[in-house]
Amino acid sequence: MDPSSDIILDTPFFRIYSDRRIDRLVGTDTVPAGFDPATGVTSKDVVLDSNSGLYVRLYLPDTATGSDHYSKKFPVLVYFHGGGFVTHSAASPPYQPFLNTLAAKAGLLIVSVNYRLAPEHPLPAGYEDSFRALKWAASGSGDPWLSHHGDLGRIFLAGDSSGGNFVHNVAMMAAASELQIEGAVLLHAGFAGKQRIDGEKPESVALTQKLWGIVCPEATDGVDDPRMNPLAAAAPSLRNLPCERVLVCAAELDSLRARNRAYYDALAASGWGGTVEWLESKGKQHAFFLYDSGCGEAVELMDRLVAFFAGNLNSSCVDVTTHHTTTSGETLR
């Protein structure tokens, strides 16, 4: 028998077999935590659950300056890595320089979550791990870095690709527990739906539908499951997002760009009481900023992230649109 006959999903990044085995072709390399001399940021790993393997990688900006360095506080960003729900980790090489730079430039204490991956651990395991890490970070009691240097009144969520999907779902879990979040950033977030929308490629839609059925077998409505399609009829209202500000980022040439824009438009029109912003990187592909951090569009994105976490609105930036939504559902440009 052909040994490849039981492959049910074959991509350049991973292969998944009918018995739920997976060959990860990317995302298995790791880099250690430690001091980064280029940014002055120090990182370390903290285990939250040794049985499940759940841990977080903390990033702390340089605090050894000024008379208040022992008590200096930083907003806390809980970050979810991408990888199609099935690959990469909090220790993957692309994330270390990106989060070191973000922590230094934005002045953030970052909590990067190493959640369990599908298909060995089908969703919602990853969502549950990520929400658990958020609650751990918000408590401030799990590590001295958080208790001494975390501004627990300013908590943010961010993630890229499938991690952007996690941002939305973990935020909705936080809403149900009345956990307050100041802001959320969705970077090229992984969403889908049964009904193809303008700008989506049929082959990308088919791949996502097949992948979702594998990583979340409990979903009874396919990619219209609210966790994959926040705009589905059965999905909780976007008005429930428990944060004040949201930044939705997309790449012009990304197959997910249309879904990212649909999410932004729906949130802007939902009657949610916060501020939503849009940033589109022209001429760029999915998650380009992780692999080409020196290009102009990646620099622009980093600058926008720094401004967002500082609470600065800058609608004059190229390709940035800002909406203020009122509780009545009126949208003001």
Side-chain angles (χ1 to χ4, degrees):
M1 179 182 293
D2 182 354
S4 67
S5 62
D6 63 346
I7 294 175
I8 58 174
L9 188 58
D10 194 357
T11 81
F13 312 108
F14 53 84
R15 296 189 191 98
I16 300 178
Y17 298 82
S18 56
D19 61 0
R20 304 190 67 80
R21 287 181 296 122
I22 182 170
D23 291 334
R24 294 182 170 90
L25 309 179
V26 299
T28 59
D29 292 340
T30 61
V31 293
F35 176 69
D36 178 46
T39 60
V41 172
T42 302
S43 57
K44 68 176 180 180
D45 295 336
V46 180
V47 176
L48 274 58
D49 186 338
S50 58
N51 291 325
S52 68
L54 174 61
Y55 76 86
V56 295
R57 178 161 291 188
L58 302 182
Y59 294 80
L60 182 66
D62 183 12
T63 61
T65 58
S67 59
D68 63 342
H69 66 279
Y70 287 114
S71 60
K72 192 170 184 179
K73 300 284 188 178
F74 300 96
V76 176
L77 168 63
V78 181
Y79 192 90
F80 312 115
H81 68 81
F85 306 103
V86 302
T87 191
H88 281 295
S89 71
S92 290
Y95 291 100
Q96 193 78 0
F98 174 67
L99 294 179
N100 275 330
T101 301
L102 182 59
K105 289 193 171 185
L108 298 170
L109 198 169
I110 298 179
V111 181
S112 181
V113 184
N114 195 74
Y115 52 84
R116 285 172 291 174
L117 299 176
E120 299 96 330
H121 305 283
L123 294 171
Y127 295 139
E128 293 167 351
D129 287 348
S130 298
F131 183 53
R132 182 177 177 182
L134 169 61
K135 292 191 294 182
W136 175 86
S139 75
S141 61
D143 186 85
W145 282 10
L146 282 165
S147 57
H148 294 162
H149 297 294
D151 183 350
L152 303 179
R154 300 195 64 205
I155 294 179
F156 293 87
L157 303 179
D160 65 282
S161 194
S162 55
N165 173 291
F166 273 53
V167 169
H168 169 79
N169 284 290
V170 172
M172 286 303 196
M173 295 167 79
S177 66
E178 300 184 352
L179 182 63
Q180 290 301 305
I181 299 165
E182 180 171 333
V185 179
L186 295 86
L187 296 157
H188 309 179
F191 296 128
K194 288 183 178 178
Q195 186 68 38
R196 187 162 63 92
I197 61 178
D198 288 344
E200 284 189 307
K201 298 177 181 178
E203 59 272 21
S204 298
V205 172
L207 174 64
T208 303
Q209 289 176 339
K210 199 163 191 178
L211 176 63
W212 182 250
I214 296 168
V215 302
C216 191
E218 74 170 27
T220 58
D221 202 16
V223 288
D224 273 346
D225 182 281
R227 292 165 291 191
M228 193 56 166
N229 184 5
L231 311 187
S237 172
L238 294 176
R239 294 180 64 164
N240 296 334
L241 277 177
C243 49
E244 303 166 10
R245 297 181 287 119
V246 172
L247 172 61
V248 181
C249 300
E252 182 185 21
L253 305 182
D254 186 2
S255 61
L256 292 171
R257 187 265 175 205
R259 285 285 166 184
N260 296 161
R261 184 69 197 196
Y263 182 91
Y264 164 78
D265 288 338
L267 181 57
S270 68
W272 168 68
T275 301
V276 58
E277 304 172 57
W278 169 260
L279 174 63
E280 182 172 344
S281 299
K282 299 298 184 182
K284 290 299 178 180
Q285 297 280 0
H286 185 70
F288 72 93
F289 54 90
L290 291 174
Y291 305 96
D292 189 11
S293 60
C295 72
E297 292 78 9
V299 172
E300 178 190 25
L301 174 59
M302 180 61 70
D303 289 345
R304 189 71 212 105
L305 292 174
V306 171
F308 178 84
F309 292 123
N312 300 329
L313 296 179
N314 191 354
S315 59
S316 64
C317 288
V318 178
D319 302 327
V320 174
T321 307
T322 302
H323 282 183
H324 298 277
T325 60
T326 69
T327 54
S328 66
E330 179 185 5
T331 301
L332 305 175
R333 285 188 182 271

